[in-house]
Amino acid sequence: MVKGLLDWIDERFKIRDLWNDFADRPIPGGSSWFYVLGASLIFIFSLQMVTGILLAMYYAPTPDHAYASVKFIEEVAPFGSFVRGLHHWGASFMMVLVGLHMVRVFVFGAYKKPREIIWVLGVGLIAIVGGFAFTGYLLPWDQKAYWATVVGTNVAGTVPVVGGVLLRIVRGGTELGAFSLSRFFAIHTYILPWSLALLAGLHVFLLERAGAGGIWNAADRVPYKAEPLFPNQLFKDTVFIGMVFIALASMAVLFPAPLEPQADPTDSTYNPRPEWYFYFVFQMLKIFEGKLELLGTVILPNLGVAALLLIPFIDRSPERDPAKRKLMMAAGALFVATVIGLTIAGARAPIVNAPAVTSPSVLAGRAIYARNGCSACHGIFGKGGKIGPELTHVAARRPDAAWHLKHFRNPQAIVPGSIMPKLDLSDRELQELTDYMLSLK
Amino acid sequence: MSDQDVSRRNFMIRTIIGIGAFIGAAISVPLAGFGILPVLRKKEPDWTDAGTAGDLMTDEPQERRFFQTVKNGWQEERVERTVWLVKKADGGITAFSPNCPHLGCGYRWFSQERQFKCPCHASLFAIDGKVISGPAPRALDTLSAKIESGKVLVKFEIFQVGTTKKAAA
């Protein structure tokens, strides 16, 4: 009876044929623990989807409710901390596994003909995963969320010519607010999941069409050996997925996802730090400063992505044995070492506690700056005019307090031809304004 | 395939199913609990100030609007509520939930006929809430109410409709 019904359905859907094709896909050289990473990514993505959908049931993407709703999830809702923990640590696991997956494919030369497009799609998938992470951590609207996003979106603002417009588009305005949160939420929950599902589907479909690459010397091995995807490879995949799940669930239980105090745009004592997987970007921003800033924010990241995309088209020899691809292995190792090195350096970067910024004279100086309309000509962090010099990092250029004092009293005496007006301020006020300038590093 | 191959294959298949079932079970309980439990919590209503008792006349039902603070998870809102108040000859007070127990429409008092009438399906109720005629399956729902130092206090709550027994929704 049941069998009859199943047969009836299968005559129409022909799922069994499809499954048999999939299950019998041969893996040259046999199944391997090296090949479990892709499947584990499908698992983590599915888990992120499910936990994300459930979190969305209680989450409110507006600045006045976001924090309270996350606090409710974390502290009141049954299993809320666990579900949010899974989602939070799931992002980190995804980053690690996606990185390992890419390295594995690179070393095995699995991006070579006919799998070039699979590699290109993979690079796109990594970009999407990065986008998920970046848009995801604004959502709780806590201090980390707010400040990391302020800094992260400012990176877009450094792009020449279109930077200002780009920054507004990314942020949904000139500063973070209601539009930022709803737009990040829409990107995080509608645009990126669909994009990822589509690209990942194509990624897996193309692999299905091209067949598994397997080990590089499979064809030369005697006797020739190949194992089917099911159950041999899926067995290893599942065991690994089980371990990943246990590790992830333990993290969610033992280390609940942090929730810092609610976002406070006026707090100048906070030390913004990105999540660990963006430390390498964070560190790069510190290395390249001033005129070189563009190198760190725009040029190198784009070159990096371009290089990844071009790998299968530059390295076109059919040779897949890593021992015979020494140049590629060296380049790959250098790339990985750079990312790891920057990540470690970023993690160990000293916390800059900024007492100078909070000192009363700096605050008073900031108030004087605002009161006297300095921002009509000068810009700080993208706010203000463009007639006078940009002051965002003025202390880096002019660290000398005496220079500022003299300059405020008589700008033309220090900078001939300057159109800056003399400031009619008391000595004390000039000193405060100077302190404020020196806090802008 | 040799016997050994077959048993190895079976072992792998069983492991796949076993681990899959383990993950499925371990994840579905917390996820279902998280998705469902917060909305199943019964909230005990608090006494809410429903205005002065001074202008109520004995045996003359009066509709009374007031605000109740409602907590929905992380959100506290002031929600406008309405009840029908009837002051009794002994000085006590009855408060009726404003929804017809048939399908939830808002009914009203017709002072000449001295009946509550529901505009949806013409259920009629007496001043004590009893069904006179129409499809209503039970009398009007009463809310806990009392008069304290000249003020009407009501425990406002919402009831299931369409059933013969009164039960909190």
Side-chain angles (χ1 to χ4, degrees):
Chain A
M1 175 63 199
V2 173
K3 188 179 179 304
L5 184 65
L6 289 179
D7 287 345
W8 187 90
I9 292 172
D10 197 59
E11 269 176 63
R12 278 138 193 93
F13 283 80
K14 303 220 180 289
I15 294 277
R16 283 173 192 157
D17 275 3
L18 210 61
W19 165 253
N20 289 337
D21 277 0
F22 174 74
D24 295 340
R25 191 178 82 189
I27 295 167
S31 62
S32 162
W33 290 102
F34 281 114
Y35 309 153
V36 299
L37 297 160
S40 74
L41 282 164
I42 295 178
F43 168 72
I44 300 255
F45 176 60
S46 314
L47 199 60
Q48 294 296 81
M49 291 277 275
V50 181
T51 50
I53 288 168
L54 280 157
L55 288 168
M57 286 187 180
Y58 302 108
Y59 173 74
T62 66
D64 29 353
H65 296 312
Y67 185 75
S69 66
V70 175
K71 215 170 165 60
F72 170 82
I73 291 169
E74 193 62 41
E75 292 171 6
V76 183
F79 303 109
S81 171
F82 181 61
V83 175
R84 183 164 169 260
L86 284 179
H87 200 72
H88 173 86
W89 291 114
S92 287
F93 274 59
M94 196 124 177
M95 287 291 181
V96 172
L97 291 170
V98 103
L100 292 175
H101 184 49
M102 185 173 72
V103 169
R104 201 288 292 170
V105 168
F106 180 80
V107 172
F108 277 60
Y111 53 82
K112 299 197 170 199
K113 188 184 171 185
R115 299 183 190 83
E116 302 96 322
I117 302 175
I118 305 178
W119 171 270
V120 169
L121 289 169
V123 176
L125 285 164
I126 291 177
I128 293 175
V129 170
F132 262 120
F134 183 65
T135 51
Y137 71 77
L138 175 62
L139 302 182
W141 202 250
D142 61 355
Q143 285 280 67
K144 182 181 201 104
Y146 184 87
W147 291 105
T149 308
V150 166
V151 177
T153 48
N154 271 331
V155 170
T158 65
V159 176
V161 189
V162 293
V165 177
L166 204 61
L167 177 61
R168 283 202 195 186
I169 293 173
V170 173
R171 271 194 191 166
T174 46
E175 54 182 333
L176 288 185
F179 281 174
S180 329
L181 202 45
S182 50
R183 136 180 323 241
F184 272 52
F185 183 67
I187 294 171
H188 189 82
T189 58
Y190 298 104
I191 298 178
L192 293 178
W194 283 107
S195 311
L196 191 133
L198 217 70
L199 249 61
L202 208 55
H203 189 74
V204 173
F205 176 74
L206 285 182
L207 178 64
E208 198 54 38
R209 302 307 295 165
I215 192 83
W216 49 85
N217 58 1
D220 308 333
R221 286 189 181 178
V222 183
Y224 180 78
K225 181 189 171 196
E227 282 177 347
L229 182 69
F230 179 85
N232 300 54
Q233 183 59 46
L234 279 190
F235 164 75
K236 293 190 168 84
D237 290 351
T238 313
V239 170
F240 182 66
I241 286 171
M243 295 191 304
V244 165
F245 175 71
I246 288 172
L248 181 53
S250 313
M251 292 289 280
V253 172
L254 298 176
F255 308 100
L259 184 62
E260 297 186 354
Q262 185 162 6
D264 178 3
T266 63
D267 185 352
S268 49
T269 60
Y270 186 72
N271 286 297
R273 280 290 179 281
E275 286 294 338
W276 67 266
Y277 37 74
F278 287 137
Y279 276 162
F280 72 102
V281 187
F282 166 79
Q283 188 63 19
M284 213 152 60
L285 294 180
K286 291 201 304 191
I287 293 173
F288 299 104
E289 50 184 342
K291 285 195 178 118
L292 290 178
E293 189 181 39
L294 208 57
L295 206 59
T297 57
V298 181
I299 298 172
L300 282 180
N302 279 303
L303 281 179
V305 172
L308 286 178
L309 286 173
L310 288 176
I311 284 175
F313 306 104
I314 294 170
D315 176 25
R316 286 162 66 190
S317 80
E319 181 58 63
R320 287 180 49 210
D321 186 348
K324 294 174 186 154
R325 292 156 58 225
K326 294 203 170 69
L327 185 66
M328 285 307 279
M329 289 305 106
L334 187 68
F335 185 85
V336 171
T338 307
V339 172
I340 293 178
L342 286 172
T343 301
I344 293 172
R348 295 173 57 181
I351 296 282
V352 185
N353 230 330
V357 178
T358 50
S359 80
S361 73
V362 170
L363 290 176
R366 186 157 66 184
I368 293 167
Y369 182 88
R371 208 164 52 230
N372 287 278
C374 305
S375 63
C377 297
H378 295 281
I380 294 178
F381 291 113
K383 281 189 215 168
K386 292 200 188 311
I387 299 166
E390 164 83 23
L391 299 177
T392 309
H393 303 298
V394 64
R397 297 194 304 268
R398 300 280 181 204
D400 181 12
W403 185 92
H404 284 282
L405 281 171
K406 273 187 222 157
H407 178 248
F408 287 143
R409 287 202 179 95
N410 188 354
Q412 284 72 27
I414 306 287
V415 183
S418 168
I419 57 166
M420 172 149 161
K422 284 179 191 160
L423 298 181
D424 189 17
L425 297 169
S426 70
D427 283 357
R428 185 184 162 168
E429 285 173 318
L430 286 176
Q431 184 62 52
E432 287 165 346
L433 193 58
T434 300
D435 286 347
Y436 176 47
M437 289 299 117
L438 294 183
S439 75
L440 298 170
K441 284 173 187 154
Chain B
M1 267 195 289
S2 70
D3 282 357
Q4 201 191 342
D5 284 348
V6 171
S7 73
R8 189 162 162 259
R9 186 182 154 87
N10 285 341
F11 165 75
M12 291 193 284
I13 293 176
R14 265 186 241 117
T15 309
I16 291 172
I17 295 172
I19 293 176
F22 163 73
I23 294 176
I27 199 70
S28 54
V29 172
L31 286 183
F34 177 69
I36 296 166
L37 292 179
V39 292
L40 290 186
R41 279 192 190 162
K42 294 265 178 199
K43 279 171 271 185
E44 195 54 36
D46 288 332
W47 287 109
T48 306
D49 181 353
T52 173
D55 57 353
L56 292 173
M57 288 186 293
T58 306
D59 287 338
E60 286 300 326
Q62 191 190 339
E63 188 179 6
R64 177 66 62 84
R65 287 166 194 265
F66 60 96
F67 285 95
Q68 181 189 25
T69 303
V70 176
K71 199 163 185 241
N72 239 328
W74 43 269
Q75 171 137 302
E76 260 192 18
E77 281 179 288
R78 270 161 62 77
V79 180
E80 190 173 19
R81 302 293 196 193
T82 181
V83 288
W84 285 94
L85 298 177
V86 185
K87 192 175 164 191
K88 289 182 284 195
D90 63 6
I93 190 161
T94 306
F96 290 116
S97 157
N99 304 103
C100 174
H102 177 217
L103 288 172
C105 293
Y107 57 85
R108 40 195 173 267
W109 173 252
F110 287 78
S111 51
Q112 286 176 354
E113 290 106 313
R114 297 201 60 75
Q115 284 173 347
F116 290 106
K117 288 189 194 177
C118 178
C120 289
H121 308 97
S123 289
L124 303 180
F125 305 90
I127 194 168
D128 62 357
K130 293 225 170 66
V131 181
I132 299 170
S133 69
R138 63 169 189 256
L140 293 177
D141 298 316
T142 52
L143 298 161
S144 303
K146 62 183 178 183
I147 296 178
E148 241 177 52
S149 45
K151 282 196 167 155
V152 181
L153 299 178
V154 176
K155 276 190 177 175
F156 189 89
E157 54 188 319
I158 296 186
F159 301 98
Q160 287 174 24
V161 295
T163 52
T164 50
K165 248 187 86 183
K166 170 181 164 187

